[in-house]
Amino acid sequence: MSDGEGLVIVYTGNGKGKTTAALGLSLRAIGYEHKVCMLQFIKGSWHYGEMDSSKKLGPNFELIAVGKGFVGILDDNSPREEHEKYAAEALKICREKIFSEKYDVVILDEVNYAINLGLLDVKEIIKLIKEKPEKLDLVLTGNHAKEEIIELADLVTEMKEIKHPFKSGIKAKKGIDF
Ligand code: ATP
Ligand code: MG
């Protein structure tokens, strides 16, 4: 178990490193045999390296993809209701994991995007933050974190883009970006 009160940690901002920071924190926690669950609100059909990391890191790291490729929500073919249905299911899984008492750290990766798209109600997330088990460290990522969430958080870091290779035409790199 982690020592002391659990923290609410937010990684936001337009620079790269939000999910990477959450993964780095996981690696550190797993070193102490802490149990980590990362719930990834999926933004598309991409495959990310961390999806396979749990097989290598052992049972202390669990990664679950939730939601439904919402990045294309505005122009994809599935009706909005379908996205909403998946988001509601995702929230249910988040609740289950958070209140299971099985984990020391729970990460809601890209949750801020799902909120900003209106797929998740910020009030539901606020409720989760307020009711979470005391010792649990809860991490939320995604740009444009809502003010209400920032207010409740203990730690907020804004990644700020200074340079990103994408702007020089360099494509996303395996092992770095995905
Ligand atoms: P990462 O997963 O690499 O830590 P992130 O979580 O900070 O990135 P997201 O908003 O989740 O950023 O976007 C994920 C993808 O977009 C990654 O492939 C990442 O490299 C890329 N990305 C992040 N920030 C930028 C940026 N400022 N310009 C272009 N691409 C970006
Ligand atoms: Mg991310």
Side-chain angles (χ1 to χ4, degrees):
M1 258 295 156
S2 331
D3 300 326
E5 296 280 293
L7 297 174
V8 176
I9 299 172
V10 174
Y11 296 127
T12 191
N14 70 347
K16 171 178 164 61
K18 301 173 287 292
T19 299
T20 311
L23 288 168
L25 179 148
S26 303
L27 192 64
R28 181 171 283 169
I30 293 163
Y32 293 104
E33 301 296 335
H34 294 172
K35 306 251 182 306
V36 179
C37 181
M38 180 179 240
L39 294 143
Q40 246 174 358
F41 285 79
I42 54 168
K43 290 186 293 184
S45 53
W46 280 57
H47 186 87
Y48 291 86
E50 62 264 30
M51 291 172 168
D52 297 319
S53 298
S54 55
K55 292 172 208 140
K56 307 188 182 186
L57 289 170
N60 287 4
F61 182 65
E62 196 179 326
L63 187 140
I64 304 168
V66 296
K68 180 186 178 292
F70 60 73
V71 90
I73 189 163
L74 300 176
D75 54 15
D76 83 2
N77 297 321
S78 18
R80 194 177 162 93
E81 300 85 72
E82 199 172 314
H83 284 287
E84 282 167 3
K85 195 187 93 196
Y86 277 93
E89 247 165 57
L91 182 67
K92 201 171 144 233
I93 300 171
C94 293
R95 292 198 73 87
E96 275 167 24
K97 293 294 175 186
I98 287 172
F99 296 105
S100 68
E101 305 271 356
K102 267 170 61 184
Y103 306 98
D104 302 284
V105 182
V106 172
I107 299 161
L108 308 184
D109 189 40
E110 320 300 356
V111 70
N112 292 335
Y113 295 112
I115 295 169
N116 288 326
L117 283 167
L119 293 175
L120 286 180
D121 186 350
V122 67
K123 288 197 201 87
E124 295 285 352
I125 303 301
I126 296 287
K127 198 159 157 326
L128 272 184
I129 295 174
K130 287 187 171 162
E131 294 174 359
K132 75 163 185 66
E134 254 174 48
K135 283 187 176 285
L136 180 86
D137 293 308
L138 183 63
V139 183
L140 302 99
T141 86
N143 198 8
H144 305 295
K146 291 274 186 209
E147 205 45 54
E148 302 99 292
I149 293 181
I150 290 176
E151 265 169 41
L152 279 178
D154 302 290
L155 190 165
V156 181
T157 297
E158 182 179 2
M159 272 62 179
K160 179 179 171 218
E161 185 193 308
I162 307 289
K163 270 187 162 188
H164 193 289
F166 186 73
K167 301 283 185 316
S168 335
I170 299 170
K171 285 200 192 123
K173 209 166 169 254
K174 191 185 217 170
I176 301 286
D177 293 302
F178 62 90

